[in-house]
Amino acid sequence: MAALSLVLLVQGCGAPMAHYKKIDKKLEAYDYASAEQILEKNKNDYGDRNSVLFNLDKGILLHYAGKYEDSNALLERAEQRMDELYTTSVSRVAGSMLTNDNALPFEGEDFEKVMVNIIMALNYANMNKWEDALVEARKVDVKLGVISSKNSGKNVYKEDAFARYLSAVLLESQSQWNDALIDYRTAYKDFKSYYKNYKTTLPPYIGYDLQRSASRINFAEDLAQFKQDFPRVKLDDDPAKSAEIVVVAYAGKAPIKEDYFIQALVPDSADNPQYVKVAFPKFVPRHSEIAKVDFFIMGKDGQAYAGNNEQAILMEDITAIAKKDLEDRIGRISAKAIARAVTKYLAERKIR
């Protein structure tokens, strides 16, 4: 289960904020139609600069409402614009030395770009378009490679364990056992990194997934290793006759991205030091405590099957990822922000 956000995607610095509280209240009441109306009413507040953010916001609202095809249309539009902004990022960054990052078009954080494909994959799965869902899962691999290359491999957010796990589940649902085992193995490795970087504990059932997948394709050596790693796991006598239901629950709210300010010292040729105000971004968490979930599944026989007070397993902590990813980049951001402030100060002093 993934702990995502009620309004999933992070609200960028300088983006319109007032309507989010209204939307949150409608979502808490499962009133998706009213939430969409509020968003549309405030569309003009986004402007061209935040067109990506608007499409992300509306795309996730439609996902919650079960309008999966419409949701994917908007998310695909957002993804295309993200790609366009990325290809022009070098020239934009150079120009932004003379302005504030808030004046730049909203491109989205790296983890948000990956989350787009996760939600699109879930949309396709809900429409029983399994191959399309797998295409979105494969896009994650390519996108993570681009992100790592962009950061010269120095970034903490190199992999997305939940995306890998979801890909494995989708592959297994289509009886692609070998590929599923590969992704379960990758997810296992990534979840161990998640614990190191984000304090997200290893999902207790990953051992069962690994052993089951290795057993299905008779990989005896892998199975022996997984039994050694997870000695308490007990496989069914015939895994092929067993079934598993994976429930994805969205719990809590994403952090809000805000500015904070410091005073930076600027040396003066007349030994008269000056201070300039420098803006830095930060993520402000919105804490929530959700440990258990209820769910209902409608069977083909028309009977509803209930899961009451089930233990939720944290698979993706968006707040932890957002904060760690920003901390990872803060040195580069700081240098740029200070250089921009100094450049602006020197230009104003020259004009005076």
Side-chain angles (χ1 to χ4, degrees), residues 155-204:
N155 51 311
V156 173
Y157 181 70
K158 293 183 175 69
E159 290 290 346
D160 194 293
F162 176 63
R164 297 294 191 184
Y165 186 84
L166 177 62
S167 175
V169 170
L170 292 170
L171 287 163
E172 188 175 5
S173 73
Q174 299 306 295
S175 301
Q176 298 183 35
W177 311 112
N178 190 68
D179 290 340
L181 176 58
I182 292 172
D183 275 0
Y184 277 130
R185 190 187 289 116
T186 303
Y188 175 36
K189 175 176 67 69
D190 294 341
F191 276 122
K192 288 190 285 188
S193 296
Y194 265 29
Y195 178 74
K196 175 183 176 182
N197 295 321
Y198 315 122
K199 305 306 178 187
T200 305
T201 57
L202 187 71

Side-chain angles (χ1 to χ4, degrees), residues 49-60:
R49 184 169 60 85
N50 286 309
S51 62
V52 167
L53 184 60
F54 176 80
N55 286 326
L56 294 179
D57 284 345
K58 188 169 182 180
I60 194 64

Side-chain angles (χ1 to χ4, degrees), residues 38-252:
I38 294 170
L39 187 67
E40 283 292 339
K41 185 178 179 180
N42 291 272
K43 182 177 181 178
N44 292 335
D45 293 339
Y46 286 80
D48 292 337
R49 184 169 60 85
N50 286 309
S51 62
V52 167
L53 184 60
F54 176 80
N55 286 326
L56 294 179
D57 284 345
K58 188 169 182 180
I60 194 64
L61 286 180
L62 293 174
H63 169 74
Y64 293 151
K67 299 178 180 180
Y68 304 118
E69 190 169 349
D70 293 339
S71 172
N72 271 354
L74 286 163
L75 294 176
E76 185 175 356
R77 195 181 305 167
E79 184 180 38
Q80 289 173 351
R81 182 57 179 155
M82 284 175 167
D83 291 341
E84 292 172 2
L85 292 172
Y86 174 74
T87 58
T88 59
S89 62
V90 174
S91 60
R92 284 196 301 108
V93 167
S96 70
M97 290 298 294
L98 299 177
T99 186
N100 189 291
D101 281 342
N102 292 344
L104 299 174
F106 177 79
E107 183 182 336
E109 302 288 340
D110 289 340
F111 61 88
E112 290 179 305
K113 295 173 183 177
V114 171
M115 193 61 63
V116 168
N117 299 111
I118 292 175
I119 298 301
M120 291 182 72
L122 290 170
N123 281 336
Y124 281 125
N126 276 292
M127 293 187 286
N128 294 320
K129 295 183 177 181
W130 302 104
E131 187 54 45
D132 290 327
L134 286 169
V135 168
E136 295 302 322
R138 295 185 193 106
K139 282 184 182 179
V140 169
D141 188 50
V142 175
K143 196 168 286 187
L144 287 170
V146 171
I147 290 170
S148 185
S149 176
K150 179 184 69 173
N151 294 284
S152 302
K154 298 178 181 179
N155 51 311
V156 173
Y157 181 70
K158 293 183 175 69
E159 290 290 346
D160 194 293
F162 176 63
R164 297 294 191 184
Y165 186 84
L166 177 62
S167 175
V169 170
L170 292 170
L171 287 163
E172 188 175 5
S173 73
Q174 299 306 295
S175 301
Q176 298 183 35
W177 311 112
N178 190 68
D179 290 340
L181 176 58
I182 292 172
D183 275 0
Y184 277 130
R185 190 187 289 116
T186 303
Y188 175 36
K189 175 176 67 69
D190 294 341
F191 276 122
K192 288 190 285 188
S193 296
Y194 265 29
Y195 178 74
K196 175 183 176 182
N197 295 321
Y198 315 122
K199 305 306 178 187
T200 305
T201 57
L202 187 71
Y205 45 78
I206 189 71
Y208 180 78
D209 295 321
L210 289 164
Q211 291 189 29
R212 182 185 66 251
S213 302
S215 174
R216 288 301 300 263
I217 52 180
N218 297 315
F219 276 25
E221 187 175 338
D222 285 30
L223 181 58
Q225 180 62 56
F226 297 145
K227 284 183 176 180
Q228 183 178 334
D229 291 346
F230 302 94
R232 295 183 179 181
V233 169
K234 180 72 173 177
L235 280 181
D236 299 325
D237 293 333
D238 186 358
K241 293 183 179 179
S242 63
E244 183 180 45
I245 297 173
V246 178
V247 178
V248 179
Y250 306 130

Side-chain angles (χ1 to χ4, degrees), residues 264-276 345 349:
L265 177 64
V266 180
D268 190 279
S269 58
D271 293 327
N272 183 24
Q274 302 291 323
Y275 289 89
V276 295
Y345 165 76
R349 190 177 68 174

